[in-house]
Amino acid sequence: MPYLKSWEEFAKAAEILFQEEPLRCRLVMKYRHNDGKLVVKVTDDQMCLMYLADEAQDVKKVEKLNSMLIRQMAK
């Protein structure tokens, strides 16, 4: 599974993926302490989007994406 290079591309694709299949879509985060990297994966079992965050500002972006998806789930 290739990683998307741009955060904007990943966030937009993740939002579209969620809007198409909200009941099947899920977000998974995995922190690798040895590397100091956060792997973010959004999937609906048909398509898988991955992003590798390695800076503190990327973590804040992941937090914003997570809160946006939670808000859409609550509607």
Side-chain angles (χ1 to χ4, degrees):
M1 291 176 271
Y3 292 99
L4 294 173
K5 301 290 183 194
S6 166
W7 172 257
E8 289 77 21
E9 180 184 356
F10 174 77
K12 184 55 102 175
E15 186 176 354
I16 291 169
L17 188 65
F18 176 77
Q19 290 173 351
E20 289 175 356
E21 286 288 335
L23 296 177
R24 296 183 56 88
C25 189
R26 63 186 179 275
L27 178 117
V28 179
M29 292 182 275
K30 181 169 78 171
Y31 179 68
R32 297 189 311 205
H33 182 70
N34 294 340
D35 301 336
K37 297 181 192 270
L38 179 69
V39 177
V40 183
K41 180 170 118 175
V42 178
T43 185
D44 67 350
D45 294 331
Q46 299 295 324
M47 178 180 272
C48 181
L49 307 169
M50 293 179 67
Y51 183 76
L52 184 67
D54 57 355
E55 298 177 6
Q57 62 192 19
D58 289 341
V59 175
K60 291 187 182 276
K61 292 176 185 177
V62 170
E63 186 180 350
K64 282 185 180 181
L65 175 67
N66 191 23
S67 65
M68 184 268 305
L69 290 175
I70 289 173
R71 272 184 272 142
Q72 287 187 358
M73 287 177 199
K75 287 183 180 181

